[in-house]
């Protein structure tokens, strides 16, 4: 079965320190990879995605993610965390179809990031 | 700004009383989705429309229905809400097409449904 794993329910980091939120996936082929963030009582906001090319993808709010094909991972990173980054982060994967069409997103369970002053 | 709008933001209904949640978008996206999200869990896809084509997820209860009268609007109807249907309901849109799978989804702010 295809799945996405976010091994940490919660990540705690001090403001100003680098942060990493982990994501690994088990999806056949070369899927598209996404990160979304959700603030309390809000919908999900798109942060970044990997389609092809450079393994380091830069996104919104200073976030970036590193794609590692051999480890089937797509970890989210930020060099210097802010208290305002505290939120729920979801990794999502969509299988790549050769002939277009539609495949649904497969979400990880989410990781709550807490950045302390 | 182009966006996805959901109304109402908070909805209270009684057990068994039908309720309709609405979603509109100004992005002109041809794919619209409805998700159910419970207490900080991952969103669970209920169904989606690709243009006018309705696609139901296999495990979506019959209690949940949807309508898409035009490109901009999509409705979620819960025919007989139970206590277990209390959740955040998220609407999302994306551009379809032959490269549609690479396109991110844009989410609305959600409607929080309370069932009394």
């Amino acid at each position: 079965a295809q799945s996405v794993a976010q091994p940490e329910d919660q990540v705690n980091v001090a403001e100003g320190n680098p942060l990493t939120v982990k994501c690994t996936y088990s999806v056949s082929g070369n899927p598209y990879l996404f990160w979304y963030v959700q603030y309390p009582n809000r919908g999900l906001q798109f942060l970044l995605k990997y389609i092809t090319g450079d393994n380091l993808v830069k996104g919104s709010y200073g976030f970036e993610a590193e794609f590692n094909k051999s480890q089937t991972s797509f970890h989210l990173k930020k060099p210097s965390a802010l208290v305002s980054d505290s939120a729920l982060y979801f990794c999502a994967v969509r299988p790549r179809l050769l002939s277009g069409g539609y495949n649904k997103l497969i979400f990880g369970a989410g990781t709550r990031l807490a950045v302390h002053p | 700004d182009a966006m996805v709008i959901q109304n109402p933001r908070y909805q209270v209904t009684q057990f068994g009383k039908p309720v309709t949640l609405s979603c509109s978008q100004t992005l002109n996206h041809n794919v619209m989705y409805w998700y159910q999200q419970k207490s900080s869990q991952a969103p669970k896809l209920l169904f989606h429309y690709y243009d006018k084509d309705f696609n139901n997820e296999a495990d979506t209860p019959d209690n949940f229905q949807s309508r898409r009268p035009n490109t901009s609007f999509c409705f979620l109807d819960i025919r007989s809400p139970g206590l277990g249907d209390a959740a955040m309901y998220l609407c999302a849109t994306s551009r379809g097409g032959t490269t549609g799978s690479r396109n991110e989804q844009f989410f609305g702010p959600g409607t929080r449904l309370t069932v009394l």
Side-chain angles (χ1 to χ4, degrees):
Chain A
Q2 302 186 107
S3 63
V4 178
Q6 293 182 241
E8 300 151 318
D9 290 337
Q10 178 152 333
V11 170
N12 296 296
V13 65
E15 187 174 32
N17 282 2
L19 67 88
T20 298
V21 182
K22 296 180 181 177
C23 172
T24 60
Y25 60 92
S26 177
V27 176
S28 58
N30 297 309
Y32 302 114
L33 309 169
F34 303 82
W35 275 102
Y36 289 86
V37 60
Q38 186 176 31
Y39 297 98
N41 290 314
R42 303 293 298 178
L44 279 66
Q45 292 180 34
F46 168 74
L47 277 179
L48 49 77
K49 65 182 176 182
Y50 176 81
I51 303 299
T52 187
D54 193 348
N55 289 344
L56 186 65
V57 179
K58 294 189 182 299
S60 305
Y61 312 121
F63 284 93
E64 56 191 28
E66 187 167 14
F67 168 61
N68 186 317
K69 186 174 182 178
S70 62
Q71 296 184 2
T72 61
S73 67
F74 189 53
H75 299 332
L76 182 69
K77 301 181 179 185
K78 187 172 183 180
S80 178
L82 299 172
V83 172
S84 58
D85 292 329
S86 299
L88 187 57
Y89 289 81
F90 289 101
C91 179
V93 175
R94 175 176 269 164
R96 189 182 299 233
L97 291 177
L98 295 178
S99 57
Y102 173 77
N103 261 334
K104 69 179 183 181
L105 277 176
I106 304 168
F107 282 95
T111 298
R112 187 165 300 281
L113 174 66
V115 181
H116 306 284
Chain B
D1 288 340
M3 57 176 59
V4 181
I5 302 163
Q6 290 188 246
N7 286 306
R9 293 293 314 279
Y10 300 90
Q11 176 73 58
V12 180
T13 191
Q14 292 181 333
F15 183 94
K17 185 176 181 180
V19 66
T20 295
L21 310 182
S22 73
C23 176
S24 64
Q25 54 131 340
T26 60
L27 296 160
N28 203 32
H29 286 167
N30 56 334
V31 190
M32 294 187 76
Y33 313 78
W34 279 104
Y35 288 89
Q36 180 192 65
Q37 186 182 29
K38 293 186 175 182
S39 56
S40 299
Q41 296 176 18
K44 178 181 181 297
L45 183 64
L46 296 173
F47 25 61
H48 77 277
Y49 276 93
Y50 195 113
D51 294 321
K52 294 182 180 180
D53 293 333
F54 177 71
N55 298 272
N56 200 27
E57 292 300 301
D59 57 353
T60 297
D62 293 339
N63 199 26
F64 292 86
Q65 305 286 321
S66 185
R67 296 169 283 135
R68 189 179 186 185
N70 54 52
T71 300
S72 301
F73 285 86
C74 195
F75 300 97
L76 170 62
D77 300 310
I78 309 176
R79 293 192 297 186
S80 182
L83 298 179
D85 296 328
M88 174 78 90
Y89 289 88
L90 298 170
C91 174
T93 73
S94 70
R95 274 189 295 115
T98 55
T99 59
S101 288
R102 67 176 63 183
N103 295 328
E104 60 272 25
Q105 293 183 12
F106 291 78
F107 285 80
T111 294
R112 184 166 296 282
L113 179 67
T114 300
V115 182
L116 301 177

